[in-house]
């Protein structure tokens, strides 16, 4: 068996069968519906859309807190005192989770946190790939593990095309002008994760102007 326990946030969207198979520990991120805050993955996704329909605003998301990590880290160490905890963190530039983990692991040399510079499916892919690698290399040193993780991070390139810009607009990801231009001309940007940050790789306004000129 591997001498490592993997940890990730709910934002990695890891399927339950993968979590169970590799005994990955999950730390909750949070979503605020007005004055009510809930742990991520404790409610149906449809609640987010319903809240937007009712209020015209999106729920606010927030990263895992130091307390969230302390609970999970302490539980793991109590159950597996001889294992090293490897936290593969949600992109540090997008949320406070990585920093929260660093705070929670202060003076605990059995915990290592690495910023994956990925979110959602990108982070999930990294965690799964590392889990599979550790299964085949259970006695790898910490330095070997860190080298492998960083090698994978350098190779991951994640992007997506949103089906509807209304939620990006509501979340402040695109301007009103860009939203209207894209809506009229039926265009969508390609959103990529670059150095941990979500960016539009093709500016919506530029696309609109190019289409008009053509």
């Amino acid at each position: 068996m591997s001498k490592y326990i993997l940890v990730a946030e709910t934002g990695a969207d890891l399927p339950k069968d993968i979590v169970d198979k590799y005994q990955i520990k999950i730390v909750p991120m949070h979503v605020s519906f007005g004055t009510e805050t809930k742990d991520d993955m404790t409610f149906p996704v449809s609640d987010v859309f319903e809240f937007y329909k009712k209020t015209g605003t999106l729920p606010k998301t927030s990263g895992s807190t130091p307390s969230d990590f302390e609970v999970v880290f302490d539980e793991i160490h109590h159950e597996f005192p001889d294992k090293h905890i490897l936290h593969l963190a949600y992109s540090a530039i997008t949320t406070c989770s990585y920093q929260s983990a660093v705070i929670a692991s202060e003076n605990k040399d059995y915990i290592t946190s690495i910023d994956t510079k990925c979110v959602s499916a990108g982070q999930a892919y990294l965690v799964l790939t590392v889990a599979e690698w550790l299964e085949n290399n259970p006695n790898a040193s910490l330095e070997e593990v860190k080298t492998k993780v960083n090698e994978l991070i350098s190779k991951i390139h994640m992007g997506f095309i949103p089906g509807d810009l209304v939620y990006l607009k509501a979340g402040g990801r695109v301007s009103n002008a860009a939203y209207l231009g894209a809506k009229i001309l039926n265009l969508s940007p390609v959103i990529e994760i670059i150095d941990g940050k979500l960016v539009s790789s093709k500016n919506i306004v530029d696309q609109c102007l190019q289409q008009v000129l053509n």
Side-chain angles (χ1 to χ4, degrees), residues 160-174:
F160 64 94
I161 299 175
D164 193 333
L165 292 181
V166 66
Y167 301 110
L168 288 175
K169 171 179 171 289
R173 298 289 184 182
V174 298

Side-chain angles (χ1 to χ4, degrees), residues 9 29 61-64 90-100:
E9 298 87 351
M29 298 176 86
T61 58
S62 58
S64 309
Y90 196 93
S91 171
I93 202 170
T94 65
T95 184
C96 65
S97 290
Y98 172 73
Q99 187 58 40
S100 292

Side-chain angles (χ1 to χ4, degrees), residues 116-193:
T116 67
K117 299 183 180 180
C118 294
V119 302
S120 189
Q123 184 188 7
Y125 172 78
L126 178 66
V127 174
L128 173 57
T129 303
V130 172
E132 292 173 339
W133 187 83
L134 286 173
E135 189 173 51
N136 294 319
N137 300 272
N139 296 313
S141 68
L142 181 58
E143 285 306 311
E144 289 173 325
V145 173
K146 289 163 68 175
T147 297
K148 181 63 178 179
V149 171
N150 287 317
E151 175 189 320
L152 289 169
I153 291 172
S154 70
K155 293 180 178 180
I156 293 176
H157 189 175
M158 178 185 171
F160 64 94
I161 299 175
D164 193 333
L165 292 181
V166 66
Y167 301 110
L168 288 175
K169 171 179 171 289
R173 298 289 184 182
V174 298
S175 67
N176 288 336
Y179 169 75
L180 290 173
K183 190 76 172 177
I184 292 170
L185 297 174
N186 194 30
L187 296 174
S188 291
V190 176
I191 306 298
E192 294 184 278
I193 312 301

